[in-house]
Amino acid sequence: MRIVAIANQKGGVGKTTTAVNLGVALAEKKLRVLLIDLDPQANATSALGMQEVEGESIYEPLLGGTSLANKILPTRVDNLFIIPADLDLAGAEVEIARMPDHLTRLARTLSTFRSDETFDLVLFDCPPSLGILMTNALAAADEILTPIQCEYFALEGLVKIVRVVEQVRDSGANDQIEIGGIVMTMFDSRTNLSGQVVDEVRQHFGRRVYNTVIPRTVRLSEAPSFGKSILEYDPSGAGASAYRALAREFIRRHAPAAIARETEKTHLLESLDK
Ligand SMILES: Nc1ncnc2c1ncn2[C@@H]1O[C@H](COP(=O)(O)OP(=O)(O)OP(=O)(O)O)[C@@H](O)[C@H]1O
Ligand SMILES: [Mg+2]
């Protein structure tokens, strides 16, 4: 099982859009995916057409009140499961901060899942702040996947997130974490700026930048209000094909590593061709 934190302290860069649509696209490729909505705004929860329900979030497991397994819900999509977010999560920031092992609560909560094969992949949709929830996500994750918008200050934001990852490593909370990838989002082919930003980010971060670039499309911004992923809302459009390509690239970058169960590896590699 691989744990991937979709994180960027900057708001509105496409974290939730990527968590939801990459999650659905990977589930379509038969990976068993658990999406954990770590943002009290609950955008990933509603984008998948689920109601926010008080008490249904990772809040209780984080505080040690119940097991994580009790909070996992199926979604409409086969192979995709979710732990939704609720408003209680906003309070978790304060309550967890008081606890002695406050940086590693999420890592501990997930540790039982590491050893079994229930899921191939856990995705965290992180909130846009450097609070306790995001720090816990980084302490629990094998890698961070950072969406950044193709806009002027992209590089500055990335430098900050690199520093945060280094701090998590140096603090001893998680010395394994790595920057697994950078995904450029909201690419606008009508402007020169988008292309320049992609070139600049590639110059600095090289192969860590995914080849797949997510275009800016109206359909991608409409889909959440219908509670649908782009793969359901506009399956043959540019947004859906970009997220399917991102899923293929994600699998290619990881296979045949930890995410694939032995028996599924051949199958996974075959599915790349479709
Ligand atoms: N490729 C895209 N094309 C058009 N609109 C997009 C695209 N990606 C995201 N959006 C829209 O931009 C807004 C911000 O996206 P999203 O919610 O995914 O960002 P976020 O990083 O999760 O934000 P927050 O920091 O608030 O959690 C949303 O309204 C979303 O629908
Ligand atoms: Mg979000």
Side-chain angles (χ1 to χ4, degrees):
M1 184 180 92
R2 190 143 182 100
I3 304 180
V4 179
I6 300 187
N8 186 337
Q9 76 286 353
K10 191 147 188 248
V13 295
K15 293 183 288 295
T16 302
T17 306
T18 298
V20 167
N21 293 305
L22 177 62
V24 171
L26 288 170
E28 282 191 353
K29 293 264 176 220
K30 304 283 187 286
L31 259 73
R32 278 188 296 208
V33 182
L34 173 62
L35 175 62
I36 303 185
D37 191 345
L38 282 175
D39 187 347
Q41 296 180 95
N43 292 153
T45 303
S46 57
L48 280 168
M50 317 225 5
Q51 296 280 336
E52 193 184 318
V53 176
E54 204 189 323
E56 291 305 321
S57 75
I58 199 155
Y59 176 75
E60 259 183 82
L62 276 180
L63 294 181
T66 183
S67 142
L68 194 80
N70 294 332
K71 297 295 171 190
I72 298 174
L73 301 175
T75 67
R76 277 200 313 268
V77 180
D78 282 347
N79 297 316
L80 179 66
F81 296 81
I82 187 170
I83 299 184
D86 69 348
L87 262 182
D88 282 350
L89 263 186
E93 290 276 343
V94 182
E95 302 205 26
I96 296 171
R98 291 201 202 106
M99 298 180 154
D101 49 352
H102 61 276
L103 286 182
T104 50
R105 306 261 341 156
L106 183 60
R108 287 231 204 132
T109 314
L110 276 164
S111 61
T112 48
F113 281 88
R114 281 219 180 259
S115 48
D116 69 23
E117 293 191 338
T118 315
F119 296 106
D120 299 307
L121 188 69
V122 175
L123 295 177
F124 298 141
D125 182 28
C126 293
S129 67
L130 289 173
I132 288 275
L133 288 166
M134 162 127 161
T135 322
N136 263 269
L138 297 187
D142 299 304
E143 69 178 86
I144 173 172
L145 180 64
T146 299
I148 57 167
Q149 212 176 324
C150 296
E151 53 146 46
Y152 206 65
F153 291 112
L155 214 51
E156 278 83 346
L158 263 181
V159 170
K160 271 189 208 149
I161 199 94
V162 169
R163 215 173 289 145
V164 172
V165 170
E166 280 165 3
Q167 279 167 3
V168 170
R169 228 184 265 145
D170 295 344
S171 74
N174 181 357
D175 52 15
Q176 305 287 321
I177 188 163
E178 53 187 18
I179 299 192
I182 293 160
V183 180
M184 309 291 305
T185 66
M186 301 186 223
F187 183 91
D188 190 342
S189 56
R190 292 166 307 178
T191 69
N192 289 334
L193 179 66
S194 275
Q196 285 163 9
V197 173
V198 172
D199 289 347
E200 199 185 20
V201 172
R202 283 198 202 286
Q203 263 170 33
H204 280 79
F205 289 92
R207 293 192 51 231
R208 278 189 284 189
V209 186
Y210 272 73
N211 294 329
T212 311
V213 172
I214 309 297
R216 180 184 286 281
T217 78
V218 175
R219 296 296 211 181
L220 270 169
S221 61
E222 286 170 351
S225 58
F226 295 92
K228 288 182 175 172
S229 76
I230 195 66
L231 289 94
E232 297 164 283
Y233 180 64
D234 184 27
S236 51
S241 37
Y243 275 106
R244 277 199 210 99
L246 188 68
R248 284 195 298 274
E249 189 177 354
F250 181 95
I251 293 173
R252 206 177 299 126
R253 280 171 176 250
H254 290 84
I259 53 166
R261 277 161 282 150
E262 282 302 325
T263 49
E264 298 268 295
K265 277 177 193 163
T266 336
H267 169 76
L268 271 175
L269 289 169
E270 277 166 6
S271 73
L272 282 174
D273 303 327
K274 288 178 195 148

